[in-house]
Amino acid sequence: MNASLAMKDQRSLFHAVTSIADNASAGPFVLTKGKGSIVTDEHGRDYIDMGAGLWCVNIGYGRSEVADAIADATRSLNFQHLFGGAASVPAIELADRLLTLFRTRANAPEMARVFFGSSGSDANDTAYKLVLYYHNLIGKPLKKKVISRQGAYHGLTYAAGSLTGIDAYHKAFDMPAPGVLHVEAPHYYRGARPGESEADFSARLVADLRATIEREGPDTIAAFWAEPVMGTGGVIPPPTGYFEGVQKLLAEHEILFVADEVITGFGRTGSWFGTGHYGLKPDIVNLAKGITSAYLPLSATIISNRIWDVLEHTSATAGAFMHGFTYSGHPVCCAAALAVLDIMEREDIVAPVAAKGERLLAGLRSRLKDHPFVGDIRGVGLMAGVEYMADPAAKRDFAGMAGHKIVAGHARTEGILTRALPWMPVTAFSPPLIISDAELDEALDRYVAAAERAIPALEAMASA
Ligand code: PLP
């Protein structure tokens, strides 16, 4: 550790989602370079980044084409807002391109307009306000409650953080906000009853959702919120029949469906969008992360005709749409997104994702099948999760759900970055989509070595 840098960090930098006590003793983990799927720390040590940052550097690190597009856009017009009908060329071009892309690649011709923000959280806040706004405009002001799911992750601003269904992010912040409900996560491995099939488990969750809607009163429920694949909650792909049942139920009660594609958008599942992958019909879709591959911050909220038509037809009487941010449609961020989309389309980055994901999942399954503390291995596309248990046969958890954190520590020592998730004891893998087979195999070797090195500590923990 560069002592003076560590000291400056500890005396100046307020880290996001970090234990202040741990950072005071361990100090920061500082990266200085990235190329492709490899990042380098301040001591020159390389790691395979099996998290793509935070599920976001999809086209890989260090693309000079994107850097050039950013430099060019900065030189020509470094700022232009979208307030009062103002616009910039990159914002218009990107909105048009995203809409075409989403309509065609997600089989969602009913999508109508794109609203820009800077983060996944603010996209979810925008969608939340749109849900309330829409119901006020159509004369249903009592339809205001929103149903999210336990284990959901939608960000950490006040509305998005309330939609998030993980206690650790709520406690001491007086969250969730009133009117946000959380139903059971579709986590088959944990939630299924003995002998229950995936389809039966899904049907039970849909029946529970129906009971929640009826208990609260269908006329009070405005929207249902879901990530197509739950990410931070534990890498949980939807079980068979889940979204079919949920969507049918929502339609019965005129409840809007908001799909949070902040992780699943732009190729992560092996399809361009989770919406297309799972045949979803959302009224609002949130995108961020992969939209610029995290070269710059940007988010997009895409809304359907169902909502747009109401906004358009009531506009003269409702007045201006009084929501937006200084950086909505920031021209340099939009130019970065356009450059990233050029690369994704030219290099056909999404096409091989399914096969790479299979390689990762098959490798994890075959190499960890005899690990005494691995309970479940699951995933879709280049999203995979390994769930740890103190006693997998009895499905007994480690105290404090902390077993997977030990493995993540060893993984970093082995030269691979993975994420120890905060809700379920799961290691998440979400490498850059351009990762090579050789890098995937090397990452597997390193992860398996880490999981094996962790066994003595896990044994001690399991019997404590
Ligand atoms: N939605 C999902 C599904 C996410 O995974 C995340 C971040 O991980 C967010 C929203 C929040 O995005 P941000 O951290 O950019 O606010």
Side-chain angles (χ1 to χ4, degrees), residues 35-38 57-61 63 268 343-344 347-350 352-353 356 382 431-437 439-440:
K35 188 78 193 160
S37 299
I38 308 296
V57 190
N58 289 1
I59 63 164
Y61 292 86
R63 297 270 193 162
R268 181 61 56 197
I343 290 173
M344 288 194 69
E347 296 182 9
D348 205 7
I349 280 175
V350 182
V353 168
K356 288 183 193 179
L382 277 170
L433 306 183
I434 49 80
I435 193 164
S436 67
D437 286 352
E439 286 166 334
L440 273 179

Side-chain angles (χ1 to χ4, degrees), residues 54-55 118-122 124 153-156 227 231-232 260-263 288-289 419:
L54 292 171
W55 331 75
S118 307
S119 72
S121 298
D122 74 39
N124 279 293
Y153 190 83
H154 298 296
L156 295 180
E227 300 150 81
T232 305
D260 182 343
E261 290 234 40
V262 167
I263 288 178
K289 297 193 190 271
R419 277 201 74 210

